[in-house]
Amino acid sequence: MTPVQVGVVKETAAGERRVALTPDAVSRLRNAGVEVMVESGAGASAWFPDEDYAQAGAAVVDRDALYALADAVLGVGQPPPERLRDGQTVIGLLAPLLNPTLMAELARRDITAISLDGLPRTLTRAQGMDALSSQSNIAGYKAVLVAANAFERFFPLLITAAGTSKPASVLVLGAGVAGLQAIGTARRLGAVVRAYDVRPQSKGEVESLGAQFIELTSVEAGAGEGGYARVLSAEEQAAQAAELAEHIAKHDVVITTAQVPGRRPPLMVTAGTVKSMRAGSVIVDMAASDLGGNVEISQPGETIVTNNGVTVIGADNLPAEMPTSASSAYARNISALLLHLLAGGAVRIDLDDEIQRGVVITYGGSVVQEATAKLLEATS
Ligand code: NAD
């Protein structure tokens, strides 16, 4: 049987420096009987040159050859749909809940779309494929470095002959994977850290990292399905933002990470709250997106300094700012998923498998993933 041919694309989204496979991952896949093609220059921005891929046994090809020959196209984000061949398979972080109509179009073209962000997060056997976690972990770390860089004072308590500096106070809103990594990183830099999450289970995790958990009285516990938060009503969000305001004003640095899958991120920091912060404070909004972020005035990809001297950073793609580590982790995740999908040397779709039911978005001409199909139904 001819071995399956996968093709690694050079990402085309603005600012995206990650690559779906590293040379190491290419070697591992080849050992498992997978042929790999890599678009020339695909890893260059993450410091993986073409020669390293060639040495690992990949064929380095141009873009046209890659899309023409690959059975499965591997990317980090969604590759340009017009490039994909009808009947091809595409694997990446495709954000199907944000792009349901594109998924419907791929289905019409009999393209099998497989998205790592649909993975069931709580299955132990899927952990090695959990790209949302690996990338959030990197983003949480980088968010603190970005904040510390913009904060023009020390993070740690420092006692020197030239005086004493108090430790920075950092507030992390949303204590999922990114938030917990941000807490740990800020603590390692010596800051005093507090955190809040609407899921009460996160309290123990926050405290185990040496941070203080903030409890709000205005919002009921908000655990939803699959470990994610539930969507808060507009009234609950307003009450939450109002109660958070007094905490936020007392902190030097605020890092927001709150997300609800496929929805506009909850608005937690209003423009008025930003006005109440001290000059020199810094906010990093990791949920900043075209849909809006956790901070009313943040803009994705932009840094704003307000009239009252607060720096607001719309950090929409932090993993792309640490592309080497982010690509290495992502390559492990996508390789693990690919190997899980292979049977007898070919990608074999089996919707009875719990992992596949989450990640396979389109197959056999239809949108098969439940959440995406429901969303399409609701919007048609
Ligand atoms: P996420 O990116 O969807 O959201 C980040 C955080 O924001 C979450 O902790 C969420 O509770 C919080 N949030 C959402 N709305 C909020 C609001 N209005 N106010 C305050 N906080 C709000 O989450 P994630 O980091 O992807 O993690 C999601 C869940 O998956 C977590 O429960 C995590 O522990 C779990 N998880 C489990 C495993 C595993 O068991 N192997 C692996 C990874 C993640």
Side-chain angles (χ1 to χ4, degrees):
M1 174 183 273
T2 358
V4 64
Q5 283 258 14
V6 301
V8 179
V9 296
K10 182 170 165 54
E11 298 297 317
T12 49
E16 184 53 81
R17 294 174 56 203
R18 292 171 289 177
V19 60
L21 287 184
T22 57
D24 268 3
V26 170
S27 305
R28 284 195 300 273
L29 285 177
R30 282 185 49 80
N31 290 338
V34 177
E35 288 295 322
V36 185
M37 279 181 289
V38 174
E39 182 178 339
S40 177
S45 314
W47 310 110
F48 299 112
D50 283 353
E51 305 82 74
D52 291 7
Y53 286 101
Q55 220 159 38
V60 178
V61 299
D62 67 20
R63 183 166 297 174
D64 289 343
L66 186 123
Y67 283 99
L69 299 173
D71 302 314
V73 171
L74 310 188
V76 175
Q78 166 73 53
E82 66 282 4
R83 281 274 180 185
L84 295 169
R85 255 189 304 115
D86 293 3
Q88 210 161 27
T89 294
V90 57
I91 311 181
L93 283 167
L94 309 179
L97 297 179
L98 298 178
N99 298 303
T101 45
L102 174 60
M103 296 301 125
E105 185 202 319
L106 296 182
R108 268 194 299 279
R109 293 173 51 198
D110 195 24
I111 290 169
T112 302
I114 298 178
S115 188
L116 286 119
D117 41 19
L119 195 79
R121 307 286 295 285
T122 43
L123 273 188
T124 311
R125 67 192 172 97
Q127 272 178 20
M129 310 170 197
D130 189 349
L132 284 185
S133 285
S134 75
Q135 303 305 293
S136 294
N137 191 35
I138 286 166
Y141 169 83
K142 187 71 177 176
V144 174
L145 301 191
V146 165
N149 203 32
F151 183 58
E152 297 184 340
R153 284 171 30 203
F154 284 113
F155 260 37
L157 165 75
L158 276 189
I159 303 169
T160 73
T164 299
S165 77
K166 311 197 285 180
S169 57
V170 173
L171 176 62
V172 176
L173 298 179
V177 179
L180 292 174
Q181 180 57 256
I183 293 168
T185 306
R187 290 271 302 146
R188 284 193 289 278
L189 279 179
V192 171
V193 184
R194 292 184 193 83
Y196 163 71
D197 196 294
V198 74
R199 287 179 302 110
Q201 303 87 311
S202 62
K203 181 177 194 284
E205 293 166 333
V206 165
E207 289 174 347
S208 72
L209 291 168
Q212 189 191 330
F213 190 77
I214 290 180
E215 301 199 38
L216 300 189
T217 52
S218 58
V219 199
E220 297 272 326
E225 280 169 28
Y228 291 110
R230 70 179 169 89
V231 184
L232 302 187
S233 67
E235 293 75 38
E236 282 177 310
Q237 276 194 44
Q240 182 186 56
E243 195 176 352
L244 279 173
E246 53 190 278
H247 292 282
I248 292 168
K250 291 182 200 144
H251 286 80
D252 299 313
V253 172
V254 177
I255 296 175
T256 68
T257 79
Q259 303 265 11
V260 178
R263 301 299 187 109
R264 187 212 180 284
L267 179 58
M268 305 179 85
V269 184
T270 64
T273 304
V274 177
K275 277 204 183 112
S276 72
M277 293 177 78
R278 289 185 292 264
S281 302
V282 175
I283 303 177
V284 178
D285 183 358
M286 289 178 58
S289 71
D290 291 334
L291 297 177
N294 294 148
V295 182
E296 191 173 355
I297 63 165
S298 69
Q299 292 295 331
E302 283 182 31
T303 296
I304 301 164
V305 182
T306 64
N307 289 340
N308 61 318
V310 178
T311 302
V312 182
I313 301 169
D316 57 342
N317 191 3
L318 288 171
E321 294 182 33
M322 265 184 62
T324 314
S325 293
S327 303
S328 297
Y330 185 79
R332 283 190 172 272
N333 301 141
I334 198 168
S335 305
L337 175 62
L338 184 65
L339 293 175
H340 177 75
L341 296 171
L342 291 183
V347 170
R348 181 77 47 86
I349 300 302
D350 169 12
L351 296 175
D352 289 333
D353 171 52
E354 198 177 351
I355 294 178
Q356 292 213 30
R357 246 194 334 271
V359 296
V360 178
I361 313 299
T362 64
Y363 177 61
S366 311
V367 173
V368 292
Q369 196 230 31
E370 200 184 326
T372 312
K374 265 194 191 154
L375 196 60
L376 277 165
E377 244 168 58
T379 49
S380 67

